[in-house]
Amino acid sequence: MHQYGVRTVEKLLRLPRSTIRGLIQAGFVVPGRGPRGALLFSFQDLIVLRTAWALSQAGVPHRRIIRSLKQLRGQLPDSVPLSGLRIGAVGDRVAVQEGDTRWQAESGQYLLALEVDMADGVLSLTDRKEAARALAEDWFNRGAILEALDAEAAQEAYEQALAADSGHPGAATNLGRLLHEGGQLDAAERIYRTALAACGNDALLHYNLGILLEDMGRIDEAVQAYEDALADDAGMADCHYNLARLYETQGRTQEAIRHLARYRKLTGKDGK
């Protein structure tokens, strides 16, 4: 059975040594010992460490992690099969898939998707979720550079970013804005709402959605979008100003005064 030293484990799992030691002290794994007491980890240890870290980061209680990891270790082979493995953390449980065969599956919140492969004798562990985020960020940066040169190419780059990570707020904000400016209002709204559903609250996404809804004549929905933006970031001065303006047109004088006062406090402007 192949064993891995601490340095190799750090590189493969992309975890600092202090974190690895903490997981060992917590009892998640019991590594072997090599010459001069050096820690040695099996393939199973690596998978258990990586899954333990993911579950602990998600706030899963220690006892549940221990229970899930015992279950996981019992499912793992001694080495990587030719078909590779997929390890998924679902809620406080784990699911292991070898090739097309799923050994166990539970319903719940998705936390981890770990690809495990062996090629030319080299073990490779890739967190697909992290890889997707990195790819999305790369496409987003590319789009931001392209905007000043080629708006169409920038739009395609933002679309690629969202294909990799549907909740990337920057890509959704910029793509929605480009679509809005191009008169594709319905498409812009879909981009904003899909991203918000994927990433949760994001002040700038809510704010841009509010501007879009105003232009579509859906004032009540625009007001709600602005309020949602301020719930996430109360320091958005322009959002306070827009709300003050809309509340004034609706005859909601007190709300208008309150938001205008907040706008003035944030900017030092008179709001006119």
Side-chain angles (χ1 to χ4, degrees):
M1 180 187 301
H2 192 83
Q3 293 188 306
Y4 305 87
V6 175
R7 288 185 180 179
T8 302
V9 173
E10 287 181 89
K11 183 177 180 180
L12 285 170
L13 302 186
R14 299 191 297 280
L15 296 177
R17 189 167 301 195
S18 58
T19 298
I20 295 171
R21 287 175 177 168
L23 293 170
I24 294 172
Q25 292 172 359
F28 295 132
V29 297
V30 182
R33 294 284 179 175
R36 300 181 182 179
L39 296 176
L40 294 176
F41 299 83
S42 67
F43 160 72
Q44 292 182 340
D45 289 335
L46 265 62
I47 304 303
V48 169
L49 277 170
R50 188 63 178 80
T51 307
W53 178 82
L55 293 174
S56 63
Q57 289 293 105
V60 176
H62 184 274
R63 286 187 179 182
R64 292 184 180 179
I65 296 177
I66 290 290
R67 185 180 65 210
S68 295
L69 295 180
K70 285 182 179 179
Q71 178 188 54
L72 172 61
R73 187 176 286 277
Q75 296 176 351
L76 290 171
D78 292 334
S79 60
V80 186
L82 294 177
S83 59
L85 286 175
R86 291 182 180 180
I87 314 298
V90 189
D92 62 350
R93 305 284 181 173
V94 291
V96 180
Q97 184 172 337
E98 178 180 347
D100 294 327
T101 304
R102 182 172 295 279
W103 299 0
Q104 178 186 352
E106 301 280 351
S107 60
Q109 184 179 4
Y110 170 88
L111 300 176
L112 176 69
L114 189 64
E115 298 278 3
V116 186
D117 292 293
M118 180 75 78
D120 299 325
V122 178
L123 179 65
S124 173
L125 292 91
T126 304
D127 187 328
R128 286 184 291 151
K129 198 171 183 179
E130 290 181 4
R133 282 196 293 263
L135 179 60
E137 190 66 17
D138 182 61
W139 277 111
F140 167 70
N141 291 331
R142 192 177 308 184
I145 294 171
L146 286 169
E147 272 204 51
L149 304 172
D150 187 337
E152 185 176 344
Q155 180 174 322
E156 292 176 359
Y158 293 139
E159 289 171 350
Q160 290 288 345
L162 292 173
D165 178 6
S166 61
H168 193 291
T173 297
N174 289 4
L175 177 58
R177 173 175 49 77
L178 289 176
L179 291 170
H180 185 175
E181 292 171 353
Q184 300 181 60
L185 306 189
D186 291 339
E189 181 180 2
R190 284 195 298 272
I191 291 296
Y192 290 143
R193 293 196 184 279
T194 298
L196 284 167
C199 73
N201 286 333
D202 181 88
L204 191 53
L205 278 172
H206 280 301
Y207 176 70
N208 278 20
L209 176 60
I211 294 173
L212 174 69
L213 291 168
E214 268 201 79
D215 285 352
M216 298 173 79
R218 293 154 60 182
I219 303 304
D220 289 343
E221 291 178 72
V223 166
Q224 184 59 59
Y226 289 140
E227 290 285 9
D228 289 339
L230 291 176
D232 194 57
D233 181 1
M236 295 187 73
D238 287 343
C239 199
H240 283 288
Y241 181 75
N242 286 1
L243 270 174
R245 177 172 47 76
L246 292 183
Y247 280 141
E248 185 176 11
T249 63
Q250 293 179 332
R252 299 166 65 175
T253 306
Q254 291 302 315
E255 289 98 327
I257 292 173
R258 176 169 59 86
H259 283 288
L260 187 57
R262 183 60 176 160
Y263 170 80
R264 288 171 172 168
K265 183 175 181 180
L266 288 168
T267 65
K269 299 178 181 179
D270 63 6
K272 295 180 181 179

